[in-house]
Amino acid sequence: MALTLEQVRHVATLARLALTPEEEQRFATQLSAVLDAVAQLQSVDVETVEPTSHATLAASLLREDVARPSLPPEKSLANAPAKVGTSFAVPKIIE
Amino acid sequence: MQLTDLTMLELARKLASGEVSSVEATRASLERIARVDPQVRAFLRVDAEGALAAAEASDARRKAGTPASALDGVPVGLKDLFLTEGVETTAGSRVLEGFVPPFDATVVRLLKEAGLPLLGKLNLDEFAMGSSNESSAYFPTHNPWDLTRTPGGSSGGSAAAVAAREVFGALGTDTGGSIRQPAAFTNTVGLKPTYGRVSRYGVIAYASSLDQPGPMTRTVGDAAALLQLLARHDPLDSTSAAVETPDYSAGLEEGVRGLRLGVPREYFAEGMDSEVEASVRAALREYERLGATLVDVSLPHTRHALATYYLIAPAEASSNLARYDGIRYGLRAKDARGLKELYSQTRERGFGPEAKRRIMLGTYALSAGYYDAYYLRAQKVRTLIREDFLRVFRDVDALLTPASPVPPFKLGEKVDDPLSMYLMDVYTLPCNLAGVPGLSVPCGFTKAGLPVGLQVLGRPFEEALLLRVARAFEREHDYSRRFAPLPAQGA
Amino acid sequence: MPVSDFQPVIGLEVHAQLLTQSKIFCGCSTAFGAEPNLHTCPVCLGMPGVLPVLNQRVVEFAVLTGLALGCEVRSRSVWSRKNYFYPDLPKGYQITQYDLPICEHGRLTIDTPRGEKVIRVRRIHMEEDAGKNVHDASEGQSLVDLNRAGVPLLEIVSDPDLRDADEAVEYLKALRDVLVYLGVNDGNLEEGSFRCDANVSVMPRGSDTFGQRCELKNLNSFRFVKQAIEYEIARQVDVIESGGKVAQETRLWDTNKGVTRSMRSKEDAHDYRYFPEPDLPPLLVTTATIESMGQRLPELPRPKLQRFVQQYGLPAYDARTLTAERPLADFFDVCAAKYPDAKKLSNWFLGELLRLLKEEAMPVSALRFTPERLAELLTAVDAGTLSNNAGKDVLGEMFRTGKAPADIIAEKGLAQVSDTGAIEAVVDDILARNAGEVEKYRAGKKQVFGFFVGQVMRAMKGKGNPTLVNELLKKKLGD
Ligand SMILES: [Mg+2]
Ligand SMILES: [Zn+2]
């Protein structure tokens, strides 16, 4: 299945990637090849098959509702590229 | 014989007898790293200070007669996917350059509590996405057996460091073969435990339903000893299994007499290197000689595993990697105008081509109109793949297969051909889809002296049996005593 | 066609913040009002490698709510990721429930001018809240506070069964009452712990095909819910009348201008790419859990109101006020068990007690006296020990100090004098000292009677039983 440049751009927007024109071109080709390769799954009869999203025996683990100490702000914000006080800062959001 | 030539268990015995101190062992490792790593390039970061401090503490415990574990004082390395408090952790990506975690991954904490000095962070494919270590944003790691070749991936740094005796053991992670394939490429032992056996908390996620940390060592016995420290239920990981931890070393020497070992037809397909096939077939005959019954079995959905994997893993990855947005940590595009650019420029610059490729693929597979045809269908085929395994395991105790269809390939050989790179995982990734444990044990060399690995697959939570099967083969050979020729001549 | 030729169709989505101690997937506190990011940890900051672990109380609250709304509770429900990028969403996805929510197929009864109406509750699911972006605190920047990120929410979605703004408000009030009664939510619209989005469409009357709907946001009071829905109905009718088509979009209620306006920023890349959350296995709820939650289910607002009308013979207005809050209703129930005249009791509640609580902005739970004490006070008034007005004073004192009514009456000497002899002595004394006035009275100037009453009461410091004072005065004046 061939992915169009337009589809590549739409997916890049969804994924928040500012692809270069060369990348758009390359991904169109490469992703099309991968999609061709995975097209074989369309032939598998899965009519009565349940999907597996967890290959685990684990049942739902529950935590007691107890508040525990949070991180001190010098730790939670230590890696922040930009901050004001104890807030993370981003370019002004226009709604 | 040098100190760094010892296995983990041999060193542990010498530490216990007082013949060697942990500080000596750690110094030996650090010196070996200084000597050979400029060629191997396994390490992204060496933490000499932290390792030596831990070694001193370990020696004090040994002196006081209160070792924290059987491996107290044995220095190891960590794939740079494990969060380490106060030590930069990058996942091999620019997007996390400079990120210093405020906490330890559960398994890192377990190793610290067990007294193992941590030598540093080992190279990997970016976010564990790759089979050659070449997608690391920093540099590729070289195979100690042939520096022009890849050590495999994504835990290539871990495998190479173990094979080059820079560390006594290491932790890797395995999403589609990332422990077993590099182990096979480097003449080392790599074990991917059952999904849920080892905590994923603090391990940077690639594909959450497939990722599993595990030990990478020079011998089967070392793998058992290291797994012993890692296999715990973790209340911080909801997918961690509340299953009791057996003694993984107890039955190690029991051999394979009477075991039924399956040989799945689908794993001996065309495209396999003839020397790899010869080595693996020889290993199969060896098992027969050792008293096991070989059973021809079929896992018919194996041929769909690659396609299934390359939909599920990128889909999960596209979501897992959404958090790298330049807001709370990591890289931020400096000149971004407005919020939209902050996101798209940061992510464009932060991620390498392979990460972007998988984010794109996964985003597409989950997007409106394609979910049912791609992602949901892949999950259903995943069920069939898992059922294949559970069905044959009613008849056989374990499966024997090649770990990789080819020996280590040249660096640069496949970088521009993602599809042929993806084919490297064809024998390892069905195991992740099924959630069962798998292990790679050295089973010989090609004429050119390149390592070949034998894969053993087993029932959920039967890691002990896998180790026993692998050990039965290992003790018949001297592969674990063969050392990569390092430092390389002329260096 | 005029507006009356169109039938509005409204469905509501409520996000109710759950009253837990800790967040839904980590141990951080849910307390309101801390400095930015003080209640954050690696998990709710979305650091690399972290994993969610579900808060048990969130499940209990969801089941409790589901049972209260007559839902089916799923024994196996599934977590999903809703993927989108926004600075207040640290992981780049929200963990929520999508195709297999914990509760489905419930109902809530409301009152309308045409009588009772059952509104279907389509689903209830659990999810994590996002953080907060602050836009006006810093020049050229928005600031991100993740204290609220990971606070547990219930999303409660109605079917499009509501037909006008009043019904929508009724539904919201009834729903809020239920949640507050259950103790799972504080019902605060202004602070955003009870939030509502409205899906509004219109169709020609008699049609059975719904029109294109718009989603209204920022409805943080019942008044705004009503205004925004009414505005939106009129707007959509206008669009159709003028030959246009209603576009499906998210619209923001502008409180200042009293209009809804399009929120285009929410529109682009509207593809959430839901998929099952691999970090959380499906949630299994056992029959035992459902049963134990069933046993914890309190009497709900509506049945309680009906009981107050029937059991106590109260007017609907009284019953509604008394049952508006569960602690007040409980207080009344205990009082009523000790004091037989429910209507009189209700008058005291609606008059004095609520006034005092309101003046001090105090919750019923903070009252310093027990319902038994209030019953004692009213019994004393009935027995004539205390005048009605003195009773109010005593209640005020009980409210402030928590002292027993008997003690206050004794301390302050408030007991009413009903001793005929004592009153007679005072009456005689007053009449003797005001011979002139007595003269005038007897000459026919009957208005002077009030003067005598006033003098007697003053002499008795207001404690004379007024009925007796009147009787004795009249007797002595020769009436
Ligand atoms: Mg929601
Ligand atoms: Zn937290």
Side-chain angles (χ1 to χ4, degrees):
Chain A
M1 184 182 153
L3 216 55
T4 65
L5 272 180
E6 203 177 321
Q7 283 173 305
V8 168
R9 286 184 194 122
H10 172 66
V11 174
T13 306
L14 283 178
R16 298 292 187 276
L17 289 169
L19 298 182
T20 63
E22 297 77 50
E23 279 179 315
E24 286 171 356
Q25 207 71 58
R26 192 163 67 240
F27 285 144
T29 313
Q30 289 176 342
L31 296 181
S32 297
V34 175
L35 290 175
D36 280 339
V38 301
Q40 62 174 110
L41 294 190
Q42 304 308 321
S43 66
V44 186
D45 180 9
V46 291
E47 187 98 45
T48 58
V49 182
E50 286 294 315
T52 294
S53 42
H54 304 84
T56 170
L57 294 182
S60 32
L61 176 70
L62 294 171
R63 180 179 60 79
E64 236 188 296
D65 179 29
V66 179
R68 306 213 173 275
S70 294
L71 275 185
E74 62 272 17
K75 281 196 171 184
S76 46
L77 287 109
N79 288 287
K83 58 189 166 194
V84 172
T86 60
S87 291
F88 300 98
V90 296
K92 187 136 204 137
I93 303 168
I94 300 129
E95 295 218 307
Chain B
M1 173 114 180
Q2 303 190 2
L3 210 43
T4 50
D5 291 346
L6 298 174
T7 66
M8 296 179 78
L9 290 174
E10 286 166 353
L11 175 60
R13 271 193 293 276
K14 288 186 192 292
L15 290 168
S17 70
E19 195 179 326
V20 172
S21 74
S22 177
V23 169
E24 285 171 314
T26 304
R27 286 232 162 84
S29 283
L30 291 168
E31 279 158 23
R32 174 102 186 139
I33 292 167
R35 197 159 73 247
V36 305
D37 207 55
Q39 295 174 11
V40 179
R41 308 221 70 190
F43 274 89
L44 286 172
R45 229 157 289 107
V46 178
D47 182 17
E49 206 180 313
L52 285 169
E56 276 171 31
S58 168
D59 287 338
R61 278 192 300 274
R62 290 279 186 192
K63 264 208 191 85
T66 55
S69 73
L71 298 179
D72 193 342
V74 177
V76 295
L78 301 168
K79 185 179 188 178
D80 200 24
L81 210 58
F82 294 90
L83 264 59
T84 42
E85 183 173 355
V87 177
E88 187 186 356
T89 302
T90 65
S93 179
R94 291 277 173 220
V95 90
L96 274 177
E97 198 165 357
F99 172 65
V100 180
F103 68 105
D104 280 326
T106 294
V107 288
V108 172
R109 180 176 58 74
L110 291 174
L111 291 185
K112 284 183 176 174
E113 285 172 4
L116 283 72
L118 305 176
L119 291 162
K121 310 302 286 289
L122 296 158
N123 200 14
L124 69 162
D125 284 292
E126 183 177 13
F127 285 104
M129 296 173 175
S131 310
S132 71
N133 243 264
E134 291 163 291
S135 82
S136 166
Y138 300 95
F139 43 78
T141 297
H142 299 257
N143 192 321
W145 293 91
D146 177 347
L147 293 170
T148 66
R149 292 175 188 271
T150 168
S154 64
S155 309
S158 300
V162 172
R165 282 126 46 230
E166 298 174 66
V167 297
F168 290 87
L171 293 197
T173 66
D174 190 317
T175 305
S178 283
I179 285 177
R180 290 159 290 155
Q181 182 251 22
F185 276 17
T186 54
N187 190 45
T188 56
V189 176
L191 170 61
K192 183 207 90 82
T194 309
Y195 184 80
R197 176 71 279 184
V198 176
S199 168
R200 295 184 296 115
Y201 186 79
V203 185
I204 296 179
Y206 157 25
S208 309
S209 77
L210 303 163
D211 297 342
Q212 187 62 201
M216 304 183 73
T217 57
R218 294 226 317 274
T219 67
V220 175
D222 285 0
L226 194 46
L227 180 64
Q228 200 70 47
L229 304 179
L230 306 174
R232 297 285 147 87
H233 171 66
D234 182 5
L236 298 178
D237 177 356
S238 304
T239 60
S240 154
V243 174
E244 248 182 87
T245 308
D247 182 343
Y248 291 113
S249 305
L252 217 48
E253 302 296 339
E254 278 174 20
V256 291
R257 186 160 301 281
L259 289 184
R260 291 172 63 78
L261 301 178
V263 181
R265 250 167 270 168
E266 293 78 7
Y267 284 69
F268 292 83
E270 10 173 341
M272 200 195 315
D273 177 88
S274 59
E275 287 192 84
V276 168
E277 178 160 10
S279 269
V280 172
R281 294 240 182 244
L284 296 180
R285 286 193 295 279
E286 186 87 29
Y287 273 104
E288 235 167 356
R289 190 178 63 74
L290 293 170
T293 307
L294 296 189
V295 186
D296 172 42
V297 297
S298 170
L299 297 127
H301 296 95
T302 301
R303 65 199 164 94
H304 299 304
L306 190 71
T308 304
Y309 178 87
Y310 277 97
L311 287 171
I312 289 174
E316 292 181 7
S318 72
S319 176
N320 284 334
L321 269 55
R323 69 189 60 195
Y324 305 106
D325 56 12
I327 295 176
R328 284 146 290 117
Y329 46 77
L331 180 86
R332 171 184 289 205
K334 291 231 158 36
D335 43 354
R337 287 160 307 167
L339 187 66
K340 262 194 190 154
E341 277 197 19
L342 173 70
Y343 279 117
S344 59
Q345 297 288 352
T346 296
R347 292 167 58 78
E348 169 66 13
R349 288 174 213 178
F351 293 128
E354 188 57 38
K356 281 186 213 168
R357 193 148 43 231
R358 297 197 193 189
I359 290 171
M360 291 287 292
L361 183 57
T363 303
Y364 178 76
L366 289 175
S367 67
Y370 299 99
Y371 179 86
D372 286 2
Y374 288 111
Y375 187 75
L376 185 62
R377 179 164 279 266
Q379 283 196 320
K380 289 179 175 175
V381 180
R382 182 177 184 179
T383 304
L384 297 173
I385 291 167
R386 182 170 158 84
E387 283 171 355
D388 274 357
F389 275 101
L390 300 182
R391 184 177 43 75
V392 299
F393 282 138
R394 286 202 286 270
D395 181 35
V396 299
D397 298 299
L399 298 170
L400 300 175
T401 85
S404 163
V406 294
F409 49 91
K410 291 265 185 196
L411 286 165
E413 190 182 314
K414 295 178 196 291
V415 257
D416 293 325
D417 185 359
L419 261 183
S420 83
M421 189 73 94
Y422 296 171
L423 276 167
M424 294 302 99
D425 301 330
V426 67
Y427 296 145
T428 46
L429 51 79
C431 151
N432 299 77
L433 290 167
V436 301
L439 168 158
S440 178
V441 62
C443 84
F445 291 85
T446 65
K447 289 191 201 78
L450 298 173
V452 176
L454 172 75
Q455 179 174 236
V456 191
L457 302 171
R459 298 185 189 104
F461 301 102
E462 289 196 357
E463 286 82 2
L465 183 74
L466 296 193
L467 290 160
R468 173 180 149 199
V469 168
R471 174 61 189 153
F473 181 82
E474 178 188 63
R475 71 180 171 201
E476 300 294 315
H477 300 272
D478 69 342
Y479 300 137
S480 69
R481 292 285 148 208
R482 293 204 207 166
F483 293 148
L486 277 171
Q489 303 207 325
Chain C
M1 291 190 285
V3 172
S4 58
D5 291 341
F6 284 88
Q7 175 60 65
V9 175
I10 302 155
L12 297 176
E13 283 179 28
V14 164
H15 286 88
Q17 185 176 318
L18 294 176
L19 291 171
T20 56
Q21 297 299 307
S22 61
K23 292 186 179 181
I24 182 168
F25 297 125
C26 66
C28 288
S29 165
T30 53
F32 192 77
E35 289 288 298
N37 295 303
L38 248 56
H39 294 166
T40 62
C41 72
V43 173
C44 56
L45 288 167
M47 287 213 172
V50 298
L51 298 169
V53 181
L54 180 58
N55 183 338
Q56 175 169 7
R57 178 126 32 213
V58 174
V59 180
E60 293 172 358
F61 281 178
V63 172
L64 201 59
T65 307
L67 293 176
L69 296 175
C71 292
E72 292 163 23
V73 179
R74 267 185 192 282
S75 58
R76 179 180 176 278
S77 66
V78 168
W79 296 96
S80 290
R81 290 188 185 177
K82 179 181 183 179
N83 295 283
Y84 64 96
F85 289 91
Y86 211 55
D88 63 10
L89 189 71
K91 298 185 297 297
Y93 56 83
Q94 179 195 33
I95 303 177
T96 178
Q97 298 194 298
Y98 184 51
D99 46 359
L100 297 170
I102 186 157
C103 301
E104 285 176 299
H105 312 307
R107 64 204 164 270
L108 182 61
T109 306
I110 62 168
D111 288 313
T112 77
R114 294 162 298 283
E116 282 195 344
K117 180 170 175 180
V118 176
I119 308 303
R120 289 169 300 167
V121 173
R122 181 178 290 174
R123 56 183 280 148
I124 302 175
H125 72 250
M126 301 167 280
E127 62 184 25
E128 56 180 340
D129 205 348
K132 197 171 68 178
N133 299 325
V134 180
H135 303 306
D136 39 17
S138 182
E139 186 73 25
Q141 298 184 98
S142 293
L143 303 186
V144 184
D145 172 10
L146 298 174
N147 280 344
R148 220 171 60 190
V151 163
L153 300 177
L154 280 191
E155 180 173 326
I156 303 165
V157 184
S158 84
D159 270 317
D161 288 350
L162 301 157
R163 290 293 172 268
D164 60 40
D166 290 324
E167 287 188 7
V169 171
E170 274 304 304
Y171 168 87
L172 284 177
K173 284 185 173 164
L175 180 59
R176 188 182 70 160
D177 286 350
V178 168
L179 297 181
V180 174
Y181 256 62
L182 296 174
V184 306
N185 177 254
D186 68 12
N188 193 325
L189 274 75
E190 286 76 17
E191 279 179 13
S193 44
F194 182 94
R195 303 196 286 269
C196 160
D197 299 337
N199 287 307
V200 178
S201 67
V202 299
M203 61 183 176
R205 252 175 226 288
S207 165
D208 52 10
T209 314
F210 292 169
Q212 188 64 266
R213 64 190 164 86
C214 291
E215 189 183 3
L216 308 186
K217 289 193 178 288
N218 194 33
L219 311 176
N220 55 13
S221 77
F222 291 126
R223 191 160 57 92
F224 294 153
V225 170
K226 183 169 157 67
Q227 288 175 0
I229 290 175
E230 281 172 352
Y231 176 91
E232 184 60 19
I233 291 166
R235 186 191 71 86
Q236 292 186 12
V237 168
D238 252 14
V239 169
I240 296 168
E241 292 283 75
S242 51
K245 261 186 154 171
V246 175
Q248 182 172 351
E249 61 182 351
T250 303
R251 297 180 69 85
L252 198 67
W253 169 248
D254 187 326
T255 309
N256 296 326
K257 297 195 179 114
V259 301
T260 66
R261 60 181 164 82
S262 182
M263 231 178 128
R264 291 210 172 73
S265 62
K266 287 262 169 187
E267 293 310 304
D268 58 24
H270 192 77
D271 182 348
Y272 292 127
R273 288 159 284 136
Y274 285 97
F275 73 103
E277 162 61 289
D279 288 332
L280 288 169
L283 173 66
L284 307 180
V285 179
T286 62
T287 321
T289 304
I290 297 173
E291 275 169 11
S292 91
M293 288 300 113
Q295 277 156 14
R296 274 170 50 178
L297 212 55
E299 185 182 27
L300 293 169
R302 199 172 179 83
K304 198 185 280 285
L305 189 150
Q306 284 160 353
R307 177 169 65 80
F308 270 47
V309 170
Q310 280 157 19
Q311 181 182 340
Y312 298 129
L314 292 175
Y317 174 82
D318 289 34
R320 188 179 287 274
T321 312
L322 291 171
T323 58
E325 275 183 68
R326 186 170 150 198
L328 186 71
D330 290 347
F331 206 90
F332 186 90
D333 269 330
V334 180
C335 269
K338 304 268 173 190
Y339 181 77
D341 189 340
K343 177 58 189 157
K344 206 168 188 179
L345 184 61
S346 172
N347 291 346
W348 276 82
F349 267 71
L350 269 54
E352 285 307 293
L353 187 58
L354 285 181
R355 181 182 61 76
L356 288 166
L357 287 167
K358 201 172 165 195
E359 275 171 13
E360 299 292 320
M362 190 197 265
V364 174
S365 60
L367 279 176
R368 295 184 182 86
F369 57 88
T370 61
E372 286 84 356
R373 294 291 190 217
L374 181 56
E376 283 167 26
L377 173 65
L378 269 60
T379 308
V381 172
D382 280 1
T385 315
L386 212 54
S387 72
N388 218 47
N389 278 336
K392 288 180 186 172
D393 293 343
V394 172
L395 181 57
E397 191 65 16
M398 288 163 68
F399 187 82
R400 279 183 296 278
T401 64
K403 285 184 188 162
D407 294 344
I408 299 170
I409 294 166
E411 256 171 48
K412 304 217 162 189
L414 287 172
Q416 180 164 276
V417 180
S418 299
D419 174 350
T420 317
I423 299 172
E424 203 170 358
V426 179
V427 168
D428 287 345
D429 180 51
I430 293 293
L431 294 182
R433 286 202 273 137
N434 293 286
E437 303 302 314
V438 174
E439 207 69 16
K440 285 181 195 163
Y441 181 85
R442 289 199 173 124
K445 197 178 174 196
K446 299 288 178 198
Q447 305 93 294
V448 188
F449 189 76
F451 164 78
F452 294 129
V453 174
Q455 290 296 309
V456 172
M457 287 309 257
R458 214 164 87 192
M460 297 190 73
K461 297 196 169 95
K463 283 180 284 181
N465 182 327
T467 318
L468 286 177
V469 171
N470 270 287
E471 260 173 36
L472 285 167
L473 269 171
K474 287 197 171 154
K475 201 174 102 193
K476 299 274 173 177
L477 287 165
D479 271 11

